[in-house]
Structures are given as C-alpha cells and as structure tokens.
Amino acid sequence: MLHPCLTCGACCTQYRVAFHWMESDEVTEGGVPHQLTERLDAHRLCMRGTYSDPIRCVALDSEIGVYSRCSIHPNRPSVCREVDASWEYGKASSQCDRARIAHGMAPLTLADWRWRDDADNDDHPDDSGNSPSSPPNTPVAA
C-alpha cells in the first residue's frame, strides 16, 4: 500500500506556502529552488502558484486524489515539512483534513496507517529514501 500523500496532493492546492528568504538555494545550498519562488515581502518568499487563486504549488506533480508527488521534496520549504498527514504520527491534522475535504476526499483515519506495521516501518527514512543505520551487531560471548 502507498503512503496516503502519494495519492492526495490536496494540501498543495489549498495554502500559501510562505517561508523566510534564507531557505532559498540562492542563499542556502540545497535550499528551495529560487526560480520556483516569488517575493512575498521583505523577509519572505512563497512558492509560485500559492499566492493567488486558484492555489496550486508549482512544484506539485499531481492529479488530486489519484497520484501526487512534490517535484522538489528533498528541497521543500520548512512549512511544507511541518504539515503532517492526519494520524500519521498519532493525531489529526486540521490542515490535512480541510484540504482533503475541499477536494471531496474523506479525512484520513488511523485505519489509513495500518499498513505500516512494525515489520514494514523503518523509522522514517530521510528525504533521499535512505533508512537510518542499523545498530552494529554485538558478538555473542562464547
């Protein structure tokens, strides 16, 4: 089963994505690609497509409710990293719920995460898909 966000994308069409200009790759290596942003004010940039109606982040590659991916996922702004899917970490997310409802989708529930049992969960791989290192094997004393 896929992570629910990979068949959603609703949040990227509902909210302005504003963040400090220091997150731009013009200033910070590996930051948000500057060419995908626009100036919001003296201190903030926002993702193109999220400052006016209809909202749709320029980095979103999606058919809402069918497939979804962020084309800059490893370099996405901090505000995007802070939006959790409902119940992914044991609690509801009003941002996620409102975005899904706006697109006619039901909010996520705990049942949407049952596919991640202990055997399949690798403690949150990083944005590059790498899993955390396993602890070293300690030899058993003879």
Side-chain angles (χ1 to χ4, degrees):
M1 178 172 244
L2 292 175
H3 190 288
C5 294
L6 296 176
T7 57
C8 185
C11 59
C12 303
T13 68
Q14 295 298 303
Y15 306 107
R16 182 180 67 201
V17 180
F19 50 94
H20 195 272
W21 59 267
M22 290 288 294
E23 290 189 52
S24 166
D25 66 357
E26 284 193 325
V27 181
T28 304
E29 185 176 341
V32 179
H34 184 75
Q35 70 272 18
L36 301 182
T37 70
E38 61 183 293
R39 179 144 313 275
L40 184 59
D41 59 35
H43 301 285
R44 295 180 298 164
L45 301 173
C46 67
M47 292 300 297
R48 289 190 187 277
T50 68
Y51 189 47
S52 60
D53 287 328
I55 294 172
R56 186 177 177 101
C57 180
V58 68
L60 177 63
D61 175 14
S62 176
E63 181 179 335
I64 304 301
V66 178
Y67 71 89
S68 177
R69 77 176 189 97
C70 173
S71 64
I72 62 165
H73 194 265
N75 306 93
R76 70 194 185 281
S78 59
V79 294
C80 297
R81 295 171 191 277
E82 294 167 3
V83 176
D84 292 330
S86 269
W87 300 105
E88 182 173 13
Y89 300 108
K91 63 181 182 176
S93 165
S94 62
Q95 286 179 299
C96 175
D97 293 348
R98 286 192 313 266
R100 290 180 61 87
I101 290 167
H103 284 279
M105 294 182 284
L108 295 173
T109 67
L110 280 172
D112 292 304
W113 302 99
R114 293 217 167 101
W115 58 274
R116 289 192 332 178
D117 64 20
D118 290 340
D120 294 330
N121 190 344
D122 66 354
D123 295 327
H124 310 293
D126 68 18
D127 290 334
S128 299
N130 299 316
S131 294
S133 300
S134 299
N137 289 333
T138 306
V140 177

